[in-house]
Amino acid sequence: MEEFLSRIATGAGIGPALAEKAVGLMLGFLQRHTADGPVARMLEAIPGASELVAKYHGDDPEGGGGLMGLGQQLMSEGLSMAKIAGLANETIAFAKEHAGDELVDEVLNSVPGLPQFV
């Protein structure tokens, strides 16, 4: 998991603790808002992903909030839209290396509106 978070933090230009929480929130969002099968296979393939989801899964904003709620939550952690985009792109690249392009794209495309942001 350290390799994963270090790479994400460096690529997004943020600290490791913030990277950990932000990635956990993003992956937790995907787990809650996509089909169980594909997202479960993706999370299993990414080293440390299941632990991050378990740690931050409960940080779902009141009432959910969908994709916009996730964005607001990440911005409340001090991330700009540019940093969020960088974080998402680094996370997706890492996920594709471990889970494959097809599976990651299937997960991302199952969230309405998400592909336009990543």
Side-chain angles (χ1 to χ4, degrees):
M1 181 170 14
E2 286 181 39
E3 173 201 351
F4 176 42
L5 293 175
S6 175
R7 177 176 161 186
I8 300 299
T10 300
I14 61 176
L18 182 53
E20 176 182 308
K21 183 168 188 177
V23 171
L25 291 171
M26 288 190 308
L27 294 176
F29 171 85
L30 290 174
Q31 185 182 52
R32 287 187 303 278
H33 294 280
T34 63
D36 288 341
V39 77
R41 289 192 312 274
M42 183 186 82
L43 292 174
E44 287 172 10
I46 302 169
S50 296
E51 292 87 348
L52 289 177
V53 170
K55 186 171 182 178
Y56 296 104
H57 188 275
D59 284 357
D60 194 18
E62 192 76 22
L67 188 55
M68 295 306 290
L70 174 64
Q72 289 175 341
Q73 196 171 15
L74 293 170
M75 286 188 281
S76 75
E77 294 294 329
L79 293 169
S80 66
M81 288 302 289
K83 293 283 185 186
I84 293 170
L87 184 69
N89 288 331
E90 288 294 327
T91 303
I92 290 166
F94 193 85
K96 286 183 173 185
E97 288 174 20
H98 292 277
D101 290 359
E102 188 175 312
L103 179 58
V104 174
D105 288 342
E106 179 182 353
V107 171
L108 297 177
N109 289 326
S110 69
V111 179
L114 183 60
Q116 73 188 33
F117 290 105
V118 294

